[in-house]
Amino acid sequence: GNSVTQMEGPVTLSEEAFLTINCTYTATGYPSLFWYVQYPGEGLQLLLKATKADDKGSNKGFEATYRKETTSFHLEKGSVQVSDSAVYFCALNNAGGTSYGKLTFGQGTILTVHP
Amino acid sequence: EAEVAQSPRYKITEKSQAVAFWCDPISGHATLYWYRQILGQGPELLVQFQDESVVDDSQLPKDRFSAERLKGVDSTLKIQPAELGDSAMYLCASSYPTGTSGRISYEQYFGPGTRLTVT
């Protein structure tokens, strides 16, 4: 079955520091990969996605590259801000058959950015 | 911008009582999902609808949970009776297919969730 493993948190950084959150996956076929962000008390927001190998998803300064050879989708940002403090989830889905995009999530990584 | 609506946002109930959550997906989204998110964990799928039909309810505790989407639009998730272990965030999402045949992807949009506390 599908599974997603994220680096354990929490991650605490100073403003303008470089961020990496590791994500690796196990899946059959050719999944699509996603990063979602969840701010306190809110639902999940799609941050970025990649649908095939070597695709790079990017949004709001965040980037992640779909690496099929290492089954990874690490999230990076060159300079974090206090407003980036949130929980980040890596996820995948397979669109084949009747799965209709069912998402499998990692456990989430808490990011706290200090001024 | 269209959003997924959920109500209520917060619900406190006593164990053994019944509770229901409502979700209105983005217009035109045929696929609707209910997830349960326990504090400190990632969401887990409870049930998935394609239009009015259930396509995956393998993780739904069917002895106490039920879900319906009668007209293929909005949906209701019910718990009866509620147990202490049901305390969690219940998230609804909807999606539509993008891409071309062979590389179809489903981009899910989430509602704000319902925070359930069972006492």
Side-chain angles (χ1 to χ4, degrees):
Chain A
N2 295 339
S3 68
V4 176
T5 302
Q6 292 181 230
M7 67 181 284
E8 296 203 9
V11 175
T12 302
L13 296 173
S14 298
E15 206 165 26
E16 300 184 2
F18 184 85
L19 168 69
T20 299
I21 300 177
N22 290 338
C23 171
T24 57
Y25 68 90
T26 302
T28 56
Y30 302 95
S32 295
L33 302 174
F34 305 84
W35 276 100
Y36 282 84
V37 58
Q38 186 175 34
Y39 298 100
E42 298 185 9
L44 277 69
Q45 299 175 24
L46 178 64
L47 182 60
L48 53 83
K49 69 176 183 179
T51 59
K52 61 182 186 296
D54 300 324
D55 266 3
K56 177 185 284 187
S58 60
N59 186 27
K60 300 180 181 179
F62 291 89
E63 295 183 339
T65 301
Y66 188 143
R67 300 290 187 196
K68 188 169 177 62
E69 63 277 12
T70 55
T71 62
S72 64
F73 193 55
H74 305 322
L75 182 69
E76 296 183 337
K77 186 175 185 182
S79 176
V80 293
Q81 305 301 312
V82 172
S83 57
D84 294 327
S85 298
V87 183
Y88 292 81
F89 292 94
C90 185
L92 66 82
N93 67 23
N94 292 104
T98 59
S99 68
Y100 293 106
K102 168 187 172 181
L103 282 169
T104 299
F105 286 90
Q107 73 272 30
T109 301
I110 299 172
L111 171 65
T112 303
V113 180
H114 292 297
Chain B
E1 182 175 310
E3 295 181 342
V4 176
Q6 288 188 250
S7 67
R9 291 293 307 273
Y10 304 93
K11 180 70 177 179
I12 300 174
T13 190
E14 294 182 349
K15 63 181 181 179
S16 79
Q17 296 298 303
V19 64
F21 314 129
W22 177 80
C23 172
D24 191 12
I26 294 173
S27 177
H29 284 194
T31 312
L32 184 148
Y33 316 77
W34 283 101
Y35 291 88
R36 178 170 59 186
Q37 184 181 20
I38 296 171
L39 190 64
Q41 300 182 18
E44 292 186 319
L45 182 71
L46 289 175
V47 62
Q48 181 177 341
F49 291 90
Q50 183 66 17
D51 298 310
E52 68 276 7
S53 300
V54 173
V55 295
D56 189 343
D57 63 357
S58 57
Q59 299 303 310
L60 187 71
K62 299 182 187 63
D63 56 336
R64 298 185 300 109
F65 286 64
S66 64
E68 61 182 16
R69 193 184 183 198
L70 293 177
K71 296 183 179 179
V73 181
D74 60 335
S75 175
T76 302
L77 178 70
K78 297 178 181 177
I79 309 175
Q80 182 174 16
E83 296 181 352
L84 295 177
D86 296 332
S87 295
M89 174 80 89
Y90 290 82
L91 296 164
C92 179
S94 67
S95 73
Y96 66 97
T98 61
T100 58
S101 59
R103 289 307 308 167
I104 294 175
S105 178
Y106 289 80
E107 187 169 311
Q108 291 189 26
Y109 295 82
F110 283 79
T114 297
R115 169 72 65 190
L116 173 67
T117 302
V118 181
T119 61

